[in-house]
Amino acid sequence: MRFTEEDVRRVARLSRLALEPKEIKGFQLDLSQILDLAEKLLAIDTSKVEPLAHPGSSSVFLRPDVVTEINQREAFQAVAPEVDRGLYLVPRVVE
Amino acid sequence: MTQKNWEVVIGLETHAQLSTLSKIFSGASTAFGAEPNTQACPVDLGFPGVLPVPNRAAVERAIRFGLAVGAHIAPVSIFARKNYFYPDLPKGYQISQMELPVVQGGSLRIQTKAGEKVVNLTRAHLEEDAGKSLHEDFQGQSGIDLNRAGTPLLEIVTEPEMRSSEEAVAYARALHALVRWIEICDGNMQEGSFRCDANVSVRPLGQKEFGTRCEIKNLNSFRFLERAIEFEIKRQIELIEDGGKVVQETRLYDPDRDETRSMRSKEDAHDYRYFPDPDLPPLCVSTEWIAEVAAGMPELPEVRKVRYETELGLSAYDAGLLTATREAGEYFEALQSAAKGVDAKLCANWVNGELSAALNRAGLELTDAKVSATKLAGLLVRVGDGTISGKIAKELFEIMWSEGGEVDALIESRGLRQISDTGALEVVLKELISKHPTQVEEYRGGKEKVFGFFVGQAMKATQGKANPAQLNELLKILLAGD
């Protein structure tokens, strides 16, 4: 299997997912199969192909530097779980 | 610890906040100091279904920077998502540039005690800033202000080419002066508009491979940059000499204790999982656009410095001072254009001499100078046309500095006009000569030093108002004898 249990735990931690120990085996299998699929693509010789970041040939549209947004804090904070003095409150985060 | 057996290797990453009115991907304002979250719109808040649209002015500023450092400006560059989880980044990713940044290469010239050095740049890329987390006062919670989220940044990365904290600070200062000179960043370090991360490692002298590096984050003053690097060099050398190993990690500088502390080690390091942002097609910069931006660029400090030396005949030292900051440059240019017909060297001496001394005494910046460039020009014009002597000009400058006033009015009201009337001067000199027969004898006997005595006496008698050139000429004739 390409994915070890440790790999699964690491990816889960990066994704902030709390996995039950019994779920790990299943993800190990699923993720390994995804890697197997990706492996098939490696069989193609791409040495002469330009890397493609986006399909199509369009370039991004640029907007003029103008302030168009007005203060709508009240409306946005109406759907926030908790606010205080204009700040959004979240569980304490200190690195 | 013997630092001389070690070589220090430093690379800097600087975040310069670009001076746009609106954010990099939304139309929300970037003004500093607003009430929390009043300048955070749905794009900045990461609401579902919103799309980022890049700000043309942010890209234009990146181009300006690229042109100023002689970099390659990529005709096509790619915005990428840098993924990490933190509440001051509601989308869960920061839009940045990874594989193909808009500015590639380039270099910056720095001055240190040892002379000139060129620091090569790796790249400069566009990205958005995150919001701010406040941890006090919220009883087990953190408060999030997203006004800063989406503010445009240019991250400027050097090659690991600096070899001391002195070089690192010289580079940071030169970069700071440049981004302000080309008006892409206000350079306000207190407000976080210009902040540096330093990558520091040490290796035994002569070793080819780099040592393991530590990154010190968010240094927002030149002093902290210097102190943090100094501490980190000492820490790493001592660690290795004691048989330990430097661990690759991110560290924070604590100015109160003057030390760096571990913030997160490599095991906890974020795995950013960069990938091209599907919301943003490639950023294309045409050669026409680059040419247009180039045409609107101000004369660069290095170019102007050479011009001052060759065209105005200023010394390298004076020319360097007058092009060191945007303020100095603007002041001198304004002075030059207002002081028509006045020798450029005289102007330079006044800016770098009297004016700079007065600023130092008052603890003021050039922008707060009590004597404007136009007023100083008025004063120097009167020196140039012989109305007042240099000595009187200095006295007048002091008066203008402390009390204000216009030059010509001050000259009249205080009777400071230089005596250029030969008759009046002759009377004064003749009297002096008759009063000091001994000295006249000495002069005539070949003791030329005595000439200075008469000049001093004449200046005293005229309260410094005698025209020096005229005085010398007349005195020579009169002393030569009957």
Side-chain angles (χ1 to χ4, degrees), chain B residues 46-118:
Chain B
F47 275 24
V50 299
L51 278 176
V53 186
N55 184 340
R56 189 179 165 88
V59 180
E60 193 250 7
R61 279 162 178 73
I63 299 171
R64 286 166 84 85
F65 179 76
L67 288 169
V69 295
H72 170 64
I73 292 153
V76 177
S77 66
I78 303 292
F79 285 110
R81 291 186 179 182
K82 177 179 177 178
N83 299 276
Y84 66 95
F85 186 84
Y86 206 71
D88 62 15
L89 188 73
K91 294 196 300 294
Y93 58 86
Q94 177 193 29
I95 304 176
S96 180
Q97 297 193 299
M98 178 61 182
E99 308 249 324
L100 279 176
V102 61
V103 174
Q104 303 170 4
S107 65
L108 201 63
R109 224 178 276 273
I110 64 168
Q111 303 288 337
T112 64
K113 281 191 214 108
E116 197 176 86
K117 173 170 176 155
V118 172

Side-chain angles (χ1 to χ4, degrees), chain A residues 10 13-16 53-54 58-73 76-77 79 82 84-95, chain B residues 20-24 26-28 36-38 40-42 45 53-57 78 87 135 137-138 140-145 264 271 277 280-282 284 289:
Chain A
R10 182 173 144 73
R13 191 168 69 236
L14 284 169
S15 318
R16 298 303 191 271
H54 298 273
S58 65
S59 80
V60 74
F61 174 80
L62 300 174
R63 36 169 271 275
D65 183 24
V66 180
V67 176
T68 53
E69 294 293 327
I70 51 160
N71 174 20
Q72 299 183 72
R73 183 174 79 180
F76 300 143
Q77 297 202 330
V79 295
E82 223 176 327
D84 183 9
R85 283 161 280 176
L87 298 161
Y88 294 93
L89 291 190
V90 299
R92 190 174 174 87
V93 276
V94 182
E95 274 198 80
Chain B
T20 57
L21 298 172
S22 64
K23 293 188 176 173
I24 185 167
S26 81
N37 292 308
T38 54
C41 75
L45 294 169
V53 186
N55 184 340
R56 189 179 165 88
I78 303 292
H135 304 299
D137 294 345
F138 300 103
Q141 290 179 296
S142 291
I144 308 293
D145 175 8
R264 53 174 182 250
D271 182 340
D277 192 326
L280 290 159
C284 297
W289 190 11

Side-chain angles (χ1 to χ4, degrees), chain B residues 135-264:
Chain B
H135 304 299
E136 318 309 80
D137 294 345
F138 300 103
Q139 301 188 346
Q141 290 179 296
S142 291
I144 308 293
D145 175 8
L146 295 166
N147 279 351
R148 203 180 60 187
T151 298
L153 301 176
L154 189 67
E155 180 173 336
I156 302 152
V157 184
T158 73
E159 292 290 309
E161 288 181 348
M162 284 155 283
R163 293 291 176 265
S164 65
S165 61
E166 188 207 355
E167 285 186 3
V169 171
Y171 163 80
R173 284 188 186 278
L175 182 65
H176 185 254
L178 181 66
V179 296
R180 298 185 67 240
W181 188 284
I182 61 174
E183 297 184 297
I184 64 169
C185 169
D186 68 17
N188 190 323
M189 296 176 88
Q190 281 84 40
E191 292 176 6
S193 299
F194 187 90
R195 38 192 209 263
C196 295
D197 301 341
N199 283 297
V200 180
S201 67
V202 297
R203 60 181 169 189
L205 269 184
Q207 179 180 303
K208 266 212 155 105
E209 303 78 38
F210 289 130
T212 306
R213 68 168 194 264
C214 289
E215 183 180 20
I216 316 165
K217 281 265 181 211
N218 269 332
L219 297 159
N220 66 349
S221 86
F222 297 123
R223 206 182 114 73
F224 291 170
L225 176 65
E226 183 183 7
R227 301 297 315 153
I229 292 173
E230 280 301 317
F231 176 89
E232 190 56 24
I233 292 169
K234 200 160 160 267
R235 186 188 72 86
Q236 292 187 11
I237 293 176
E238 278 176 358
L239 187 65
I240 300 171
E241 288 188 342
D242 289 347
K245 258 192 171 159
V246 176
V247 186
Q248 188 177 336
E249 60 185 355
T250 306
R251 300 178 71 86
L252 275 183
Y253 176 68
D254 177 346
D256 296 327
R257 294 196 190 171
D258 190 22
E259 63 178 27
T260 65
R261 278 202 302 274
S262 180
M263 190 172 139
R264 53 174 182 250

Side-chain angles (χ1 to χ4, degrees), chain B residues 272-341:
Chain B
Y272 292 123
R273 294 158 289 150
Y274 280 98
F275 63 89
D277 192 326
D279 287 344
L280 290 159
L283 171 64
C284 297
V285 177
S286 66
T287 45
E288 290 77 25
W289 190 11
I290 297 173
E292 196 183 301
V293 174
M297 290 278 284
E299 183 181 34
L300 292 173
E302 270 183 42
V303 177
R304 186 178 292 177
K305 179 169 179 281
V306 172
R307 178 166 67 83
Y308 282 176
E309 288 175 50
T310 54
E311 282 180 24
L312 303 182
L314 301 186
S315 68
Y317 177 77
D318 276 336
L321 285 179
L322 295 172
T323 51
T325 63
R326 205 179 99 210
E327 286 75 18
E330 279 172 4
Y331 192 99
F332 189 71
E333 286 289 296
L335 177 62
Q336 273 276 288
S337 69
K340 293 242 174 343

